[in-house]
Amino acid sequence: VWWRNPGGDQTLVDDLRRLAMLHTRVGRDAPRSRWRRGPYWQRRLLNKLNAREFVAALGCAVPELYWHGRFLRRSVLASLPGQFVLKPAVGAARRGIHVMAESRDLLSGTDMTRDQLFDRVAASRGRFSHIPLLAEEFVTTERGAHALAIDYKFHMFKGVVGAIQLIHR
């Protein structure tokens, strides 16, 4: 039901609607009616740019967005601070995410210069990424350290929390 037509076969219109949900950006100043359009409007929040805008519109703090776009350049990476997160706007399971603290990718545990990071991203996504990329602030721990955070996943079933999963990286 989440992605498929509940009434039967998947149509081209259903596929286009799914793509639009994932790839159409909605600004934080958009009226709530635009956010909540459609029976499964929450799918729109799978796009991390939209999720940022949605929670910011509700008054929540979000990490600073340094850059976003489809064409990553070496100059963009060179302009970023020593600690940042580079990730695709759409995706899951940590694929394509780089959590950089100086010259170390904390997720992969490898040392990596900005040029090596650029080469890795360009090799996996090409020079022009069909999915936008985000470079944003690496939020510190409560003690001010740049370390991987505990990941909390809430598994919901018909509006009820069925399980809470803590992931220590």
Side-chain angles (χ1 to χ4, degrees), residues 6-121:
D9 293 334
Q10 194 71 6
T11 67
L12 178 60
V13 172
D14 295 322
D15 289 337
L16 292 173
R17 187 175 294 123
R18 179 180 65 83
L19 286 172
M21 278 282 207
L22 279 176
H23 297 288
T24 301
R25 190 155 178 219
V26 181
R28 73 181 65 174
D29 297 327
R32 291 232 173 145
S33 60
R34 178 148 186 238
W35 280 104
R36 296 179 184 259
R37 191 175 297 155
Y40 304 110
W41 66 269
Q42 296 90 342
R43 293 182 287 203
R44 193 170 279 114
L45 302 179
L46 293 174
N47 181 312
K48 293 170 185 70
L49 284 166
N50 283 342
R52 289 177 54 83
E53 295 299 303
F54 184 78
V55 299
L58 295 174
C60 299
V62 294
E64 183 178 346
L65 182 63
Y66 299 131
W67 174 87
H68 75 278
R70 295 175 188 269
F71 187 65
L72 183 64
R73 292 182 295 279
R74 291 181 195 275
S75 60
V76 168
L77 291 176
S79 71
L80 297 173
Q83 297 81 20
F84 63 93
V85 177
L86 182 67
K87 60 187 176 184
V90 177
R94 298 178 292 151
R95 285 187 295 265
I97 298 177
H98 300 278
V99 180
M100 302 299 296
E102 299 306 330
S103 293
R104 183 156 186 84
D105 183 346
L106 298 181
L107 269 182
S108 67
T110 58
D111 292 328
M112 190 181 312
T113 66
R114 302 287 172 106
D115 282 337
Q116 290 169 326
L117 174 60
F118 177 84
D119 292 341
R120 183 170 288 183
V121 172

Side-chain angles (χ1 to χ4, degrees), residues 131-147:
I131 295 174
L133 300 170
L134 292 78
E136 64 183 13
E137 175 185 9
F138 184 168
V139 179
T140 62
T141 65
E142 291 173 348
R143 295 184 178 156
H146 285 97

